[in-house]
Amino acid sequence: MSMPPTNRGTSLQLERIAKTFVGGVEAVAPLDLSINEGEFVAMIGPSGCGKSTLLRMIAGLEKPTSGSIQRIGQAGADIAYVFQDAHLLPWRRVLANVALPLELAGVEKQERLERAHRLLEEVGLSGLETRFPAQLSGGQRMRVSLARAMVTSPRLLLLDEPFAALDEITRQQLDEWLRQLWIDSKATVLFVTHSIAEATFLADRAIVFSTRPAKIVTDHDLSAHLPHQRLADLRGTPVFAEQTRVLYQALRTGDGA
C-alpha cells in the first residue's frame, strides 16, 4: 500500500452542532465531529436524514441553530461546493465556466484561462473548451463542474451527491477520477452520497447517520482495510464486499431496521 500524501487540507471541529427549521422540524441533532486535514470522508444515511443540511452548515450556506464549527488552516475562499446538478452557466462556454471563480476573484485573464485549460486537461475534457453546456453529456457537465470547483485549489471540497443522476458506468469512472484527484490535490473532502458502494470506494472514512434528526451511528475507518490507490477491479474483491456489508449493517441500524 502506498503512503498517503502530505496533507494540505483543512481540519474541522464541530461541537454540539444542531439544526431545527422553522416549524420545529429537527434536521440535525446535537452532534460532535472532527475531520482531519486531508481526509476523504463519505457521509451516508437515509434520504432526508439531514446530511445535506450538515454539509451546508459546514459550507456556511446554512446557519446552525446551536453549536459551533471551527475551520482550521483555511479561509472562506478556500472552500468549494459541488451540488448534485452541475449548475453551469448555459451562455458561457466550457472554458469560461471553469475560469469563472478566478474571474470573480480578479485573477488576470491569461492566468485564469491557463489554469482552466490545465484543469480541463486533468479531467479529460481537452478539446471541448469552446462547447456550451448543452452540447455536453451529463458526465461531461459534472466534470466541468468539478474542474470549476478545483480551479481555485480549495483546501476544503464539499460534494453533495454529485454523481447521483448519472448512469452506473459513468458514475464509477468519475469515482475513480475523483479519488485520484483527491490524492493529487491533498484537499480535505466531504462527500454526501446514498450509495454504499460509492462511499466504500471513494472514502478513507465513512460516517453513517440515522434517520432525521441526523445522529452519528457509525464512524468507520475504511483506510484500515482498503488500499490507498484504488482501481476499478477493487469493487470485485472480498474485502470490498465486506466493507460495504459493514456500512450496510450500520445504515440498517440507523434506519431503524
Side-chain angles (χ1 to χ4, degrees), residues 3 16 36 54 68 107 112 137 150 155 162 165 171 174-176 182 184 197 201 207 210 217 229 231 245:
M3 293 299 291
R16 305 299 293 165
N36 297 320
L54 180 61
S68 65
V107 175
R112 67 178 184 250
S137 69
M150 295 303 297
R155 299 180 70 169
R171 186 170 183 161
L174 288 177
D175 284 346
E176 294 163 31
W182 166 71
D184 295 339
F201 185 88
I207 299 173
S210 68
V217 175
Q229 295 282 351
L231 302 176
R245 186 195 66 79

Side-chain angles (χ1 to χ4, degrees), residues 104-117:
L104 296 175
V107 175
E108 190 269 335
K109 183 176 181 179
Q110 182 176 350
E111 180 183 347
R112 67 178 184 250
L113 293 181
E114 288 175 355
R115 288 167 65 175
H117 269 294

Side-chain angles (χ1 to χ4, degrees), residues 137-177:
S137 69
Q140 288 170 334
R141 286 194 294 271
M142 186 50 64
R143 285 177 186 248
V144 174
S145 179
L146 285 163
R148 183 179 59 187
M150 295 303 297
V151 77
T152 59
S153 300
R155 299 180 70 169
L156 177 61
L157 180 61
L158 307 175
L159 303 107
D160 193 357
E161 299 188 73
F163 308 147
L166 303 177
D167 66 86
E168 191 64 22
I169 296 299
T170 301
R171 186 170 183 161
Q172 289 187 14
Q173 290 172 343
L174 288 177
D175 284 346
E176 294 163 31
W177 170 78

